[in-house]
Coordinates of all heavy atoms in Angstrom, one line a residue:
S478 N 9.2 23.0 18.0 CA 8.0 22.4 18.5 C 7.2 23.3 19.4 O 6.2 22.8 20.0 CB 8.4 21.1 19.2 OG 9.0 20.2 18.3
K479 N 7.6 24.5 19.6 CA 6.9 25.5 20.4 C 6.6 25.0 21.8 O 5.4 25.0 22.2 CB 5.6 25.9 19.6 CG 5.8 26.6 18.3 CD 4.5 27.0 17.6 CE 4.8 27.8 16.3 NZ 5.6 27.1 15.3
I480 N 7.6 24.6 22.5 CA 7.5 24.1 23.8 C 7.8 25.2 24.8 O 8.9 25.7 24.9 CB 8.5 22.9 24.0 CG1 8.3 21.8 22.9 CG2 8.3 22.3 25.4 CD1 9.3 20.7 22.9
G481 N 6.7 25.6 25.5 CA 6.8 26.8 26.3 C 7.4 26.6 27.7 O 6.7 26.9 28.7
I482 N 8.6 26.1 27.8 CA 9.2 25.9 29.1 C 9.9 27.2 29.5 O 10.3 28.1 28.7 CB 10.2 24.7 29.2 CG1 11.4 25.0 28.2 CG2 9.5 23.4 28.9 CD1 12.5 24.0 28.4
K483 N 10.2 27.4 30.8 CA 10.9 28.5 31.4 C 12.3 27.9 31.8 O 12.4 26.9 32.5 CB 10.2 29.1 32.5 CG 8.8 29.6 32.2 CD 8.8 30.6 31.1 CE 7.4 31.3 30.8 NZ 6.4 30.4 30.2
I484 N 13.4 28.6 31.4 CA 14.7 28.1 31.7 C 15.4 29.1 32.5 O 15.6 30.3 32.2 CB 15.5 27.9 30.3 CG1 14.7 27.0 29.4 CG2 16.9 27.4 30.6 CD1 15.1 27.2 27.9
V485 N 15.9 28.7 33.7 CA 16.7 29.5 34.6 C 18.1 29.0 34.7 O 18.3 27.9 35.2 CB 16.0 29.6 36.0 CG1 16.9 30.5 36.9 CG2 14.6 30.2 35.9
I486 N 19.1 29.7 34.2 CA 20.5 29.3 34.3 C 21.0 30.0 35.5 O 21.1 31.3 35.6 CB 21.3 29.7 33.1 CG1 20.7 29.0 31.8 CG2 22.8 29.3 33.2 CD1 21.4 29.4 30.5
L487 N 21.5 29.3 36.5 CA 22.2 29.8 37.7 C 23.7 29.8 37.3 O 24.3 28.7 37.4 CB 21.8 29.0 38.9 CG 20.3 29.1 39.3 CD1 20.1 28.3 40.6 CD2 19.8 30.5 39.5
N488 N 24.2 30.9 36.9 CA 25.5 31.0 36.4 C 26.5 31.5 37.4 O 26.5 32.7 37.8 CB 25.5 31.9 35.2 CG 26.9 32.0 34.5 OD1 27.8 31.3 34.8 ND2 27.0 32.9 33.5
N489 N 27.4 30.6 37.8 CA 28.5 31.0 38.7 C 29.9 30.9 38.0 O 30.9 31.0 38.7 CB 28.5 30.2 40.0 CG 28.6 28.7 39.8 OD1 28.9 28.2 38.7 ND2 28.3 27.9 40.8
N490 N 29.9 30.6 36.7 CA 31.1 30.5 35.9 C 32.1 29.4 36.5 O 33.3 29.5 36.4 CB 31.9 31.8 35.8 CG 31.1 32.8 34.9 OD1 30.5 33.7 35.4 ND2 31.2 32.6 33.6
F491 N 31.5 28.4 37.1 CA 32.2 27.3 37.7 C 31.4 26.0 37.5 O 30.2 26.1 37.4 CB 32.5 27.5 39.2 CG 33.8 28.0 39.6 CD1 33.9 29.2 40.3 CD2 35.0 27.3 39.3 CE1 35.2 29.7 40.6 CE2 36.2 27.8 39.7 CZ 36.3 29.0 40.4
L492 N 32.2 24.9 37.5 CA 31.5 23.6 37.7 C 31.4 23.6 39.3 O 32.3 23.1 40.0 CB 32.3 22.5 37.2 CG 32.5 22.4 35.7 CD1 33.5 21.3 35.3 CD2 31.2 22.3 35.0
G493 N 30.3 24.1 39.8 CA 30.2 24.5 41.2 C 30.3 23.4 42.2 O 31.0 23.6 43.2

Side-chain angles (χ1 to χ4, degrees):
S478 296
K479 298 178 174 57
I480 304 173
I482 65 171
K483 305 301 189 289
I484 305 157
V485 179
I486 300 175
L487 298 179
N488 182 6
N489 57 13
N490 290 103
F491 260 118
L492 296 175

